[in-house]
Amino acid sequence: MTKQDIIKAAFIVWGRNFYTKMNLSDVSAYLGVTKPALYRHFSNKEALLEALYVDFFDRFALFLSKNLPAVKQQQSRKDKALALAAVMAEYFINHTYDFLFFLNLVLGQEKPGRVFKQELERRGLVFERLDNSRKEKGSMSLLRTVMVTVVFAVALVHIRKNCQIDESSEGPVLADPLSLVTGLVEHGLCSINIQSALPDFATLDETFKPLCGYCREGNPAAGGTSGQILSALARAIGEQGLSDASMNMVARKAGLAKSSLYSHFASKEEMLRQLFLYEFEALANHLEAALALSDKPLDRLYLTMRVVSEYLRHHRDILLVLDWVRLQRIPLGVIIPERAMQLLSFLRDLPLRSFLSDWDELTLVRWVLFLVVNQLMVELRHEIDEAESLNNLKELYMYIVTGVNGWKA
């Protein structure tokens, strides 16, 4: 057994659990050796985890170094972004465990973009700027948004493989998975005439204005002791992260005994699920009012994004919880209530491109929410004001609908 054997085993064993459970006993059992045998190579779990970081970025940087010259040969920012998306997607589609590592341990960090950039620069790779000339921190970024798209679409590719994660999955998982990823990046969701079909943003913003205050309100039904507990849970996760937000911490923040929590909820997972049901019910109330402003699907998509953005900007704890959940596999089942999904059924009336014809409403909702939450988290870190946030939202809408092709020159 070599050091590399242990590293490869850890990628597989810990990756299968989405890095929610990492111990040396599981790795040794997979290799069929005793746990002390691992200590001849790694003194503890932290040392092995550090070796995984080095191994991942070494191999990933080597792959990129072979492919970046073709990216740099592209003339426009859009073409470079699309070429880079294809390179990233190709790697992660064909390296399941590296993707799981990247998704959970790289993107799960507080400042994933900085970590990613620094690790590659240590290995001699520097990404040139692909964005427009505007440099304000927290503004919409073409490179960042494209990379987030790649993450979502590659995850979807692997999900469609029914999460069949084993040694044999280190290869193409669909007939043409790369086209799914690059098609979403290049073209977005819709097939439209940009000049004639896009919403009149100014008119929609004016009609939406009276709803702004209303869309920032929480769910009045989330009251009493249960609501108190759920609010404490959101604060605990926002401050400590999902894994470190213990039941003891939630109890302290709620001003209750720990036993009182269990008289209302059987587990933290049940609390988290109920928290989302409450919050999405509040969003459904706001969404119903906003969707009454227009019956056009493309208008309604923008209004939906406005409701979500207004609500989450004024409910920071819920935004932070959503950010944790979107990057980690948590067995909560479908956390969007049926009423909300009924309101969002208009998504099926969008002029979807043919390669997205099999996307259901839930996939579309998750895609839009994934991008909105990502952008709001960037804005939160840089304290972006509401006016700039609204500009970002319109640019994000354009990207979702038209992809890189619709990005401003």
Side-chain angles (χ1 to χ4, degrees), residues 190-199 298 351 353 397-398 401-402 406:
C190 300
S191 177
I192 62 172
N193 183 320
I194 294 178
Q195 298 302 320
S196 62
L198 285 176
L298 285 166
R353 296 187 182 277
Y397 174 91
M398 287 291 296
V401 172
T402 65

Side-chain angles (χ1 to χ4, degrees), residues 383-397:
E383 299 181 348
I384 295 299
D385 62 27
E386 290 188 17
E388 181 66 11
S389 180
L390 184 56
N391 288 334
N392 290 338
L393 190 71
K394 291 173 183 175
E395 292 182 14
L396 181 59
Y397 174 91

Side-chain angles (χ1 to χ4, degrees), residues 227-241 245 249-255 275 316-318 320-321:
Q228 184 179 347
I229 294 171
L230 296 177
S231 177
L233 173 67
R235 294 197 304 273
I237 294 175
E239 292 175 12
Q240 299 295 325
M249 182 184 301
V250 174
R252 288 197 303 271
K253 288 185 176 297
L275 172 66
R316 178 178 178 273
D317 291 335
I318 304 304
L320 293 173
V321 173

Side-chain angles (χ1 to χ4, degrees), residues 262-324:
Y262 289 108
S263 66
H264 290 82
F265 304 100
S267 64
K268 186 170 72 174
E269 288 73 23
E270 183 185 333
M271 281 196 299
L272 190 59
R273 178 176 173 78
Q274 191 59 54
L275 172 66
F276 279 114
L277 290 175
Y278 273 132
E279 295 302 327
F280 278 112
E281 186 62 34
L283 276 170
N285 292 335
H286 306 324
L287 188 60
E288 187 172 26
L291 293 182
L293 300 176
S294 176
D295 59 0
K296 298 178 181 179
L298 285 166
D299 287 3
R300 288 183 154 198
L301 175 60
Y302 175 68
L303 291 168
T304 298
M305 292 173 64
R306 281 224 59 180
V307 168
V308 172
S309 181
E310 288 288 339
Y311 189 82
L312 293 180
R313 276 182 57 85
H314 292 84
H315 293 81
R316 178 178 178 273
D317 291 335
I318 304 304
L319 172 61
L320 293 173
V321 173
L322 274 172
D323 190 54
W324 274 98

